Every structure is written in C-alpha cells, then in structure tokens.
Amino acid sequence: MAKYTRGTVTAFSPFDARADAEALRKAMKGIGTDEETVLKILTSRNNAQRQEIASAFKTLFGRDLVDDLKSELTGKFETLMVSLMRPTYIFDAHALKHAIKGAGTNEKVLTEILASRTPAEVRNIKQVYLQEYEANLEDKITGETSGYFQRLLVVLLQANRDPDGRVDEGLVEQDAQVLFRAGELKWGTDEEKFITILGTRSVSHLRRVFDKYMTISGFQIEETIDRETSGDLEKLLLAVVKCIRSVPAYFAETLYYSMKGAGTDDDTLIRVMVSRSEIDLLDIRKEFRKNFAKSLHHMIQKDTSGDYRKALLLLCGGDDE
C-alpha cells in the first residue's frame, strides 16, 4: 500500500489554535451565525489542528466547540462540520458503531470501511472501538449480520491479509483455478473459497490472480461475482476486489453513485470526503475524472447547495475539468 500523502487537506501554516478558537467563538456568539468563518477555518485545518482548536476553545471559554456547532448549525452542513471535528482515529469506529446501532444494520457502511482499510487500520479501529465503547467490534458485527456476508466481514476483521512480498506464480495459478472451479465451473457456488482467497491473500498476489483468472475463464472476476453471488455478500466481495485493484478508484465510484440520479446519499458523501481528505482525495479526484468524464468538483457543485456545498468544495480542493 502506498504511503498516504495525497490528501487535499494538510497542516495549515502559520497555525494559531487560540486565534482560531476566538474567531469561531465570535462567529457563533450572539444572534445569527457567521457560517462562512466556521467553514473556512474547519476545512483548511487538518484534524490534529482541529483538535487543538477544540482544546483552546474549552480553555478560553469553558465551552465545548462541538456542542456549540451542533446548537448553531443545522442539517447537512452541521453533520459535515461535526464530522470534521471527530478525531481521525475515532472516525471509522464511530461510523461502524452507528451502522450497527438500533433497528436495522447499515451494511453499506460495514462494506465500505472493512473492504477499504489496510490491516493496520482495521487493527486500530478494533482497538479504538474497545476503548471508546467498551465493546468488541467483532461481537457487535456478528450479532447484527449473518451468512457468508458475516463470514467475510469476520475474515476482514482479523486483519491478517498476507503482507505484500514476492509473488509466487504457482500459487497465483492455483488460486485462479480454485476460484474458477468454485464459481463458473460449479453448479451453485463455493462461497467459502472466494471468502478465504479474497480475504487473506496479499494485494499484489490478488492482482496477479485477477489477471490469471481472466486468462483461464475469459471473464473478469467481477463478472463472475456478479453472476454467482447476490445481496450483501456480492456487494462486499465486489468492494474487496475493487479495493485490491485501486482504493482511490473504489472511492471515486462510491462518491459518484452517492450523487448520481435523483437525491443524494449525503451520509456517504460526507463520510468519504471527510475520511479521505487527508489521505488520498487527490488520487480519488484523478480517478473520478478518468472514469466518469467529469470532475468531482463539478458534481458536488451541481448536486449540493449553500454552506454545505461551499464546505465540500473546499475539502475537494480544486477542479479537474
């Protein structure tokens, strides 16, 4: 996995947490709120700096910055600003907690996070989940899911994917044949083989397996998954394959479909824009332009409005038209 240095949001310089805290207090004090100041400050500081601002805010005014944001802002704009204030290491754990809380489970969030995070990130999420919520993430997820979908989630939660190293061509051939026999050549599907191979082999190994699979079967692995599986398992397997091929391309597609057609999936749009803004949003923008013949900036501009749009465009950090 490449080092993450391709975010649109980086440390702001010169940075003065007290001055920012004072500006935010002034923007929210009294009647009416100066939303422009709020969004400009919070989208141009990185997460570590936002935490310093929150700390300075409490020190200077004895008030909680997030509580003030919640009481002064509304709607999607409020959700976005509050999401930006969530410490990076808690962000995914919080999203997962809300995906499995209450009636109904949000499988889409489980799929997106667990398919796209590195093993080190998954281990971190599990640890933070335990510290923050005093609960075991795996137990919570197994309590809310079932079948092969649950089993692949559990495999991903083990975060034991083989590290990238020298690729053994013999094993590549073997895995490609096993997948071919488990899907296209079989009456019914041996889902377990797909789960084990896609959930545990290294990224560079699987990329070779996908090429070999195409040679053997004449199909892309995605086409086989599409035909041979369905529902949540199919979506999760496809997400894993897409992330093995390219995490930025996977997120470009996720963002595209969050805005395509009638209505916008704002939860997904906010989650991806915030969580990738310091990691690989520049790469995501590039993939977006390449795969959808329009820029992410253009689509956000067209699909959102008001301060919410202004803040998202600042996070996007530029147009690729």
Side-chain angles (χ1 to χ4, degrees):
M1 291 274 176
K3 278 257 185 295
Y4 294 142
T5 50
R6 303 273 303 154
T8 52
V9 176
T10 52
F12 184 82
S13 176
F15 172 63
D16 181 341
R18 289 177 77 98
D20 284 347
E22 281 163 359
L24 286 169
R25 175 72 183 126
K26 189 176 164 203
M28 293 189 282
K29 200 174 164 184
I31 298 183
T33 305
D34 170 7
E35 285 90 355
E36 191 85 18
T37 297
V38 174
L39 71 88
K40 281 209 164 122
I41 292 175
L42 297 187
T43 59
S44 62
R45 310 302 188 257
N46 69 10
N47 195 283
Q49 291 175 327
R50 290 181 213 125
Q51 303 315 318
E52 284 187 54
I53 295 167
S55 165
F57 197 88
K58 196 165 264 183
T59 300
L60 294 171
F61 312 113
R63 302 173 68 90
D64 186 287
L65 176 53
V66 173
D67 289 347
D68 277 12
L69 290 168
K70 284 178 176 170
S71 70
E72 293 295 327
L73 310 175
T74 56
K76 295 173 288 204
F77 180 54
E78 177 200 333
T79 306
L80 177 56
M81 292 299 110
V82 169
S83 297
L84 284 171
M85 289 306 303
R86 198 158 281 126
T88 310
Y89 66 92
I90 289 180
F91 196 90
D92 287 341
H94 180 271
L96 290 169
K97 172 150 174 71
H98 281 264
I100 45 186
K101 186 175 129 187
T105 305
N106 189 336
E107 290 83 3
K108 190 180 196 170
V109 175
L110 300 184
T111 295
E112 178 197 301
I113 292 177
L114 293 175
S116 65
R117 301 317 192 242
T118 64
E121 286 168 338
V122 173
R123 285 192 287 272
N124 179 51
I125 291 166
K126 290 198 296 189
Q127 202 181 338
V128 169
Y129 199 94
L130 190 59
Q131 282 162 359
E132 292 294 312
Y133 307 118
E134 295 176 352
N136 179 296
L137 177 58
E138 190 183 314
D139 293 347
K140 288 289 179 192
I141 286 178
T142 50
E144 296 294 332
T145 55
S146 60
Y148 289 113
F149 175 62
Q150 180 200 75
R151 282 159 69 173
L152 180 49
L153 288 172
V154 170
V155 168
L156 295 171
L157 278 165
Q158 302 319 300
N160 281 331
R161 187 177 291 290
D162 297 335
D164 265 346
R166 198 178 62 79
V167 174
D168 175 344
E169 289 302 328
L171 188 58
V172 166
E173 171 84 36
Q174 192 186 320
D175 279 351
Q177 292 285 359
V178 167
L179 289 172
F180 185 45
R181 287 197 297 272
E184 297 291 346
L185 283 186
K186 194 172 170 14
W187 179 253
T189 310
D190 185 349
E191 289 89 352
E192 205 158 85
K193 298 277 194 294
F194 279 84
I195 288 169
T196 302
I197 291 173
L198 293 178
T200 61
R201 301 287 197 256
S202 78
V203 171
S204 45
H205 173 84
L206 284 171
R207 286 178 183 158
R208 294 284 304 115
V209 171
F210 299 160
D211 293 342
K212 181 63 77 176
Y213 185 87
M214 179 74 191
T215 312
I216 294 171
S217 68
F219 299 113
Q220 293 286 9
I221 188 85
E222 289 91 334
E223 297 173 76
T224 296
I225 290 169
D226 198 27
R227 262 199 303 277
E228 298 286 329
T229 60
S230 61
D232 293 324
L233 174 66
E234 178 192 349
K235 288 180 189 139
L236 181 55
L237 283 167
L238 285 173
V240 169
V241 168
K242 285 169 185 171
C243 288
I244 293 293
R245 290 194 189 277
S246 163
V247 170
Y250 169 72
F251 280 117
E253 187 182 315
T254 304
L255 286 169
Y256 178 75
Y257 286 106
S258 75
M259 293 182 277
K260 187 183 184 290
T264 305
D265 175 358
D266 292 292
D267 287 343
T268 298
L269 179 54
I270 291 169
R271 192 173 55 251
V272 176
M273 291 297 287
V274 172
S275 66
R276 309 312 289 187
S277 61
E278 290 180 46
I279 296 177
D280 53 2
L281 195 48
L282 288 170
D283 295 322
I284 293 168
R285 270 171 41 186
K286 196 167 137 192
E287 292 291 336
F288 197 100
R289 184 78 190 83
K290 188 173 89 186
N291 298 333
F292 303 109
K294 60 179 73 161
S295 69
L296 175 59
H297 193 279
H298 172 81
M299 203 153 176
I300 290 171
Q301 179 96 39
K302 204 169 79 332
D303 224 73
T304 57
S305 60
D307 293 315
Y308 175 54
R309 170 166 65 191
K310 279 184 201 165
L312 283 172
L313 290 175
L314 285 171
L315 284 179
C316 181
D319 199 349
D320 305 299
E321 282 297 10

